[in-house]
Amino acid sequence: MKKTGIWVIVSVLVMGGVLISAFECKAQTTTRAQKTLNIGVVAWFGWPMGLDMVHGVQVLADMDNKDGGLTIGKDQYKVNLIMYDSQMDQSKAVAAVNKLVFEDKVKFIVSGEVVPDPLIPITEANKVILCSMSNTPTICGPNIHYGFNVGLTEAMCAITGWLAKNHPDQIKNLVTTASDNLMGHSRADYITRTIKAFGGKITPIFFPPGSTDLSAIGTKVKALQPSLMEPIGGPIDDGLAMTAAWKAGYRGPFLIEGTAPALTLLSVAPPEVLEGLICGAWPVEFDPALTQTAKDFKAAWIAKYGKWEGAEIMGTSNYVCLRAALKQAGSLDTDKVAAAISNGLKFEGPTGLMQMASRPDLGNNRTVEGIVGFIIKRIGGGKPVPIASLTLEEAAGYFYQVFAKK
């Protein structure tokens, strides 16, 4: 009996040791999960597209945190977003990045559609990853090691290439409208280059930023009698510009290079103006969404904000790219993260399947610009209708037709 009693005590002690070890392991796991990864966000909160990016990135971060955080190497991190409003002012954007780098001590920043050129010297000197949406080529140059243009440019190439192939007469003599500011001119320059690469001609018309009465623009469009009108000011400005042209008597086709949610356009333009409009789209726009990733994101968005109102989520690709690179690198070392992005990184988010591409026209063989398997829609009866879906390979082909080696 004494021997049995001893074995009972030993067994209890052994089991106790196992339990203690289990609790220790759980405590260690919990400690790892408590690590925090700060990510900076710079966007124009007063612009619908910028605010949609902010909301979309917040939804993605919430989804990651709900799943236990980001697993990077052997550690798990809760994502903490530190957000600043650029107010579409370059000096404020610079101030925001300075604060993120020197006060908040972040090593990773995602930015909306602000011109990143004045931000790059700060991020490069401090080895901070900047995933941006840009129409200027600076961020993709061969001497930039920590900056990447993840979303925007390729969408223009994809839809223009598709249009040139399927409706070549429509790119013979285009008119484009844009705001008369740095963003508007940079977008116009990119679109001019894109149209010319596919054999077309384009005439830009600029209007004062913030204008709501674009009747004068409509009159100019009607007088020019273009083969196609292509506004490039963002969904709100685009809707206003197309409506003004329609009221002035223009009855030619409309195209929006890139994407613009139908729900947003319909909030500023009558259905008869938008009928037949060709435009890009993300999988999340349709009901139901076209991919499981998009369905999950849309459900999380509705759970957080109450309803889906046609958000423009292009900017979320910056966060998705950064997340994929951190996981692949298995490290917070920004040299390793930059190397992951620069080596053909593939990732999927609510905007679809994406891959980083090189810029041979700039002498840069590293992959620094995002391309996406693109969806093209037509608006019919006030609803988006998918009419084409480009593979990554097709999208890449159009991209390199524009950005081929000089």
Side-chain angles (χ1 to χ4, degrees):
M1 290 296 294
K2 291 182 179 179
K3 189 172 184 179
T4 302
I6 291 172
W7 280 112
V8 169
I9 293 170
V10 171
S11 298
V12 170
L13 290 173
V14 170
M15 288 301 295
V18 171
L19 289 172
I20 290 169
S21 297
F23 279 118
E24 285 178 347
C25 289
K26 185 169 181 67
Q28 289 171 3
T29 302
T30 303
T31 301
R32 287 199 299 268
Q34 291 304 310
K35 288 190 174 183
T36 298
L37 172 62
N38 291 324
I39 296 177
V41 180
V42 180
W44 181 15
F45 296 5
W47 188 42
M49 191 172 176
L51 189 59
D52 284 346
M53 173 196 161
V54 169
H55 286 165
V57 170
Q58 184 66 69
V59 168
L60 289 169
D62 288 350
M63 293 173 71
D64 287 337
N65 289 335
K66 187 177 180 180
D67 288 340
L70 294 182
T71 301
I72 303 171
K74 295 180 180 180
D75 294 313
Q76 209 155 12
Y77 293 84
K78 176 184 177 182
V79 178
N80 178 50
L81 301 176
I82 303 175
M83 300 184 175
Y84 294 112
D85 185 357
S86 72
Q87 300 179 40
M88 200 48 199
D89 183 312
Q90 291 303 304
S91 63
K92 287 183 172 59
V94 169
V97 169
N98 272 320
K99 190 171 183 180
L100 285 169
V101 172
F102 297 111
E103 294 184 29
D104 302 319
K105 305 297 182 182
V106 306
K107 285 295 183 180
F108 307 97
I109 299 174
V110 297
S111 74
E113 197 176 354
V114 296
V115 176
D117 297 36
L119 313 180
I120 292 171
I122 306 168
T123 53
E124 286 293 300
N126 294 279
K127 294 188 175 184
V128 172
I129 299 290
L130 174 64
C131 291
S132 184
M133 293 165 53
S134 171
N135 285 299
T136 61
T138 308
I139 198 169
C140 296
N143 296 322
I144 305 301
H145 300 286
Y146 303 96
F148 303 91
N149 183 30
V150 182
L152 191 61
T153 306
E154 182 274 334
M156 299 178 185
C157 303
I159 198 167
T160 304
W162 178 87
L163 188 72
K165 180 180 179 180
N166 293 278
H167 303 280
D169 290 343
Q170 293 187 7
I171 69 165
K172 287 183 177 179
N173 184 29
L174 284 77
V175 164
T176 189
T177 57
S179 57
D180 191 8
N181 56 15
L182 189 59
M183 181 191 294
H185 281 272
S186 64
R187 294 193 77 177
D189 289 345
Y190 255 81
I191 286 185
T192 298
R193 176 176 180 171
T194 303
I195 294 298
K196 286 183 177 179
F198 293 103
K201 178 184 176 183
I202 187 167
T203 301
I205 302 174
F206 297 98
F207 56 84
S211 299
T212 55
D213 180 3
L214 300 184
S215 55
I217 298 298
T219 302
K220 289 182 181 180
V221 172
K222 176 64 168 58
L224 289 169
Q225 291 294 313
S227 58
L228 177 74
M229 178 182 171
E230 182 182 354
I232 53 172
I236 304 299
D237 283 349
D238 292 350
L240 292 172
M242 289 186 290
T243 301
W246 177 271
K247 288 181 176 179
Y250 171 74
R251 291 297 181 270
F254 291 114
L255 170 77
I256 295 179
E257 279 195 23
T259 59
L263 282 175
T264 303
L265 291 170
L266 285 163
S267 70
V268 291
E272 60 269 22
V273 173
L274 301 177
E275 188 69 20
L277 166 72
I278 292 176
C279 182
W282 307 124
V284 72
E285 180 174 354
F286 304 96
D287 192 14
L290 302 184
T291 66
Q292 188 59 52
T293 300
K295 289 177 183 177
D296 294 341
F297 173 84
K298 194 170 186 177
W301 180 291
I302 293 171
K304 186 174 183 66
Y305 298 115
K307 57 183 175 179
W308 180 260
E309 296 182 293
E312 172 49 82
I313 60 164
M314 181 185 296
T316 60
S317 59
N318 294 314
Y319 177 88
V320 178
C321 174
L322 176 60
R323 176 177 63 186
L326 284 163
K327 289 182 177 180
Q328 183 167 309
S331 171
L332 299 184
D333 184 325
T334 55
D335 285 307
K336 293 180 180 179
V337 175
I341 302 175
S342 300
N343 194 29
L345 182 70
K346 281 188 177 182
F347 48 97
E348 183 181 6
T351 57
L353 182 63
M354 296 188 69
Q355 182 172 3
M356 298 303 290
S358 62
R359 283 295 299 268
D361 61 310
L362 299 176
N364 194 349
N365 293 321
R366 295 179 297 112
T367 59
V368 293
E369 185 140 21
I371 58 175
V372 62
F374 203 60
I375 299 167
I376 298 172
K377 69 172 180 277
R378 176 182 284 113
I379 295 182
K383 294 183 178 181
V385 180
I387 58 175
S389 182
L390 305 182
T391 65
L392 270 177
E393 290 74 20
E394 289 172 317
Y398 291 136
F399 177 83
Y400 286 120
Q401 189 167 338
V402 177
F403 299 107
K405 185 175 181 179
K406 293 182 179 180

